[in-house]
DNA sequence: CACACGTGGAA
DNA sequence: TTTCCAAGTGT
C-alpha cells in the first residue's frame, strides 16, 4: 500500500524532499497558482493547457478571467462569442465544452465548481487528467495527477526509459500512486512539482539533467541515458488535412462579425473538402449555417447536435 | 485501441 | 523546410 515493488529501490522520503525543495525555489509564478485563484480559474487554466504551451495560455486566461470571472458569467455568453475569445489556442471544441461545462455548473452545481472528482469528470471536456488536476490544485485533494510530464519523469526516473510509451497504461497510474507522499499537503504539491520538473528540467527534447534535483538517483541517467527504442509515435499530419481546413474556416469566422459566404471561408481549397469540413463543424456545434450559403459562429440558439 | 482534433515555436 | 511536440478528450 505504502510502497509497492515498483518503487522499492527508491528512497521515497528523500526523493520527495528533493523534488519539493526544488519546486519551492524553481517553480514559475503562474497566475492560476496564486492562492487567491478561484477553482473556476484553475479549471479554466487546465482546459486551456490541454495540448497547449502555457506561454500561449496565460494571456487568454487573463482575458477570460476578467471577462467571465465565474461559471455563470460564461454560461450567459453565446457559444460563438466564447469560440471567438478562444482565439488561436487551438482545438476550439475545448471552448465549446468549457461553455457547456459552465452551463452545467451554473444549473446543477449552484454555480460552484464541484470538488468531487467524479462530478468533475462528468463535465464536458474534463477527462481523467483534468478532473484530478482540478481536485488537487483547486481543492488540495489527494489525487493522482498523471499528464505527459509526469509520465516522462516517471519513465526516466523509475523505469529508466527515455520516453513513456505512446499511450498511457495502468502501470503508470499505479506508479504515480506509489510515488505520492503520505502527507496530504505534500501530495498536492508533489503532483504539481513533478509536472513542473518535467516542463522545466526533464524535458522531452533536451533534458537538463545537470539542473535536476534527482538526477543522481535517476534510472535513465544511471543507465547512460539510453535512446528510446519503443514503438514510434504516430506523427500528426497537417498540410492539406481536414484539420487544417477546419482551422482556416473557424479562423475566418472568428475574424468576421457577420456571416461569411461559403466560397469565402477557405478560398482555393477543394470544395468537396470544404463541404465535408463544414458539415463536421456544424455537427460539432462550432459553426452554424445562416440562410442558404452563409455561415457564422454559433449564436445563442445553439445548433442541435 | 487507434484516430481525429489546432496552433505555433523550437530544433 | 520538415519534424517534433505541448498540463488531453471523445469516440
Amino acid at each position: 500500500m505504502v510502497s509497492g515493488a515498483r518503487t522499492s529501490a527508491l528512497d521515497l522520503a528523500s526523493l520527495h524532499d528533493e523534488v519539493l525543495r526544488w519546486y519551492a525555489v524553481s517553480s514559475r509564478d503562474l497566475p492560476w497558482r496564486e492562492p487567491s485563484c478561484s477553482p473556476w480559474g484553475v479549471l479554466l487554466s487546465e482546459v486551456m493547457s490541454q495540448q497547449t504551451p502555457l506561454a500561449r495560455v496565460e494571456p487568454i486566461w487573463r482575458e477570460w478571467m476578467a471577462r467571465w470571472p465565474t461559471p455563470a458569467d460564461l454560461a450567459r455568453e453565446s457559444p460563438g462569442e466564447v469560440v471567438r475569445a478562444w482565439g488561436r489556442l487551438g482545438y476550439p471544441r475545448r471552448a465549446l465544452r468549457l461553455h457547456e461545462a459552465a452551463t452545467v455548473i451554473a444549473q446543477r452545481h449552484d454555480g460552484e465548481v464541484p470538488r468531487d472528482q467524479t462530478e468533475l469528470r462528468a463535465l464536458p471536456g474534463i477527462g481523467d487528467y483534468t478532473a484530478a488536476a482540478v481536485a488537487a490544485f483547486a481543492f488540495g485533494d489527494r489525487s493522482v495527477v498523471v499528464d505527459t510530464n509526469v509520465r516522462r519523469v516517471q519513465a526516466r526516473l523509475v523505469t529508466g526509459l527515455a520516453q513513456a510509451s505512446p499511450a498511457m497504461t495502468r502501470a503508470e497510474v499505479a506508479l504515480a500512486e506509489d510515488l505520492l507522499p503520505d502527507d496530504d499537503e505534500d501530495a498536492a504539491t508533489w503532483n504539481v512539482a513533478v509536472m513542473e520538473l518535467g516542463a522545466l528540467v526533464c524535458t522531452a527534447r533536451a533534458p537538463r539533467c545537470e539542473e535536476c534535483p534527482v538526477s543522481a538517483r535517476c534510472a535513465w541517467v544511471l543507465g547512460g541515458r539510453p535512446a528510446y527504442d519503443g514503438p514510434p509515435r504516430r506523427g500528426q499530419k497537417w498540410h492539406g488535412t481536414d484539420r487544417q481546413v477546419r482551422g482556416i474556416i473557424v479562423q475566418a469566422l472568428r475574424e468576421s462579425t457577420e456571416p461569411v459566404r461559403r466560397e469565402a471561408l477557405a478560398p482555393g481549397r477543394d470544395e468537396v473538402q470544404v463541404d465535408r469540413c463544414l458539415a463536421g463543424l456544424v455537427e460539432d456545434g462550432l459553426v452554424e449555417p445562416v440562410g442558404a450559403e452563409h455561415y457564422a459562429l454559433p449564436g445563442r440558439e445553439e445548433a442541435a447536435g
Side-chain angles (χ1 to χ4, degrees):
Chain A
M1 188 70 169
V2 172
S3 173
R6 288 173 291 265
T7 55
S8 58
L10 278 66
D11 178 351
L12 285 181
S14 53
L15 176 69
H16 295 153
D17 190 60
E18 282 159 6
V19 172
L20 293 174
R21 224 178 263 285
W22 171 86
Y23 181 76
V25 298
S26 306
S27 62
R28 292 166 288 183
D29 290 319
L30 299 167
W32 47 86
R33 285 182 184 163
E34 296 295 323
S36 60
C37 182
S38 65
W40 171 239
V42 173
L43 191 159
L44 223 42
S45 78
E46 291 303 336
V47 174
M48 287 180 170
S49 301
Q50 292 167 2
Q51 297 286 285
T52 306
L54 300 194
R56 274 198 284 153
V57 166
E58 188 167 340
I60 304 292
W61 182 88
R62 290 184 186 281
E63 288 177 20
W64 278 48
M65 287 302 283
R67 189 169 176 185
W68 302 301
T70 71
D73 294 320
L74 186 67
R76 274 190 289 274
E77 190 59 80
S78 77
E81 201 48 41
V82 172
V83 170
R84 196 187 308 281
W86 189 254
R88 302 186 66 84
L89 277 186
Y91 293 143
R93 289 190 291 192
R94 288 183 291 163
L96 226 42
R97 293 187 179 132
L98 227 21
H99 182 258
E100 293 167 17
T103 304
V104 173
I105 292 170
Q107 292 178 351
R108 303 211 218 301
H109 296 285
D110 211 24
E112 301 293 329
V113 174
R115 52 183 311 151
D116 174 51
Q117 254 187 88
T118 304
E119 291 185 314
L120 285 165
R121 182 68 179 77
L123 296 171
I126 309 290
D128 289 335
Y129 162 75
T130 305
V134 171
F137 307 149
F139 300 111
D141 273 25
R142 181 186 185 79
S143 55
V144 184
V145 183
V146 186
D147 78 326
T148 185
N149 289 302
V150 172
R151 296 184 61 224
R152 186 175 53 251
V153 171
Q154 288 185 169
R156 290 175 181 162
L157 180 67
V158 182
T159 316
L161 300 175
Q163 295 178 208
S165 58
M168 179 147 75
T169 63
R170 282 172 178 274
E172 290 177 280
V173 179
L175 176 54
E177 272 184 65
D178 288 346
L179 290 174
L180 210 58
D182 292 327
D183 180 77
D184 285 2
E185 197 173 324
D186 284 350
T189 308
W190 170 261
N191 279 318
V192 69
V194 176
M195 286 173 63
E196 190 79 335
L197 187 64
L200 298 181
V201 175
C202 195
T203 55
R205 292 251 181 88
R208 302 168 174 81
C209 297
E210 334 73 49
E211 300 173 26
C212 180
V214 291
S215 61
R217 68 176 85 222
C218 175
W220 183 57
V221 169
L222 261 23
R225 294 176 52 156
Y228 178 71
D229 68 343
R233 287 195 180 187
R234 323 181 301 276
Q236 291 192 340
K237 300 292 184 186
W238 173 249
H239 188 72
T241 62
D242 282 7
R243 195 187 315 201
Q244 182 187 27
V245 172
R246 285 169 59 107
I248 291 167
I249 291 171
V250 173
Q251 173 61 7
L253 294 177
R254 266 196 304 261
E255 289 173 344
S256 172
T257 52
E258 290 169 33
V260 178
R261 285 188 310 114
R262 194 192 68 86
E263 303 76 41
L265 286 169
R269 298 285 165 168
D270 176 57
E271 288 191 26
V272 174
Q273 185 179 31
V274 171
D275 284 342
R276 182 173 65 240
C277 290
L278 228 25
L281 288 166
V282 171
E283 175 73 24
D284 291 345
L286 278 165
V287 170
E288 206 169 70
V290 177
E293 42 191 281
H294 287 71
Y295 292 87
L297 295 178
R300 209 163 290 277
E301 311 314 313
E302 210 166 327

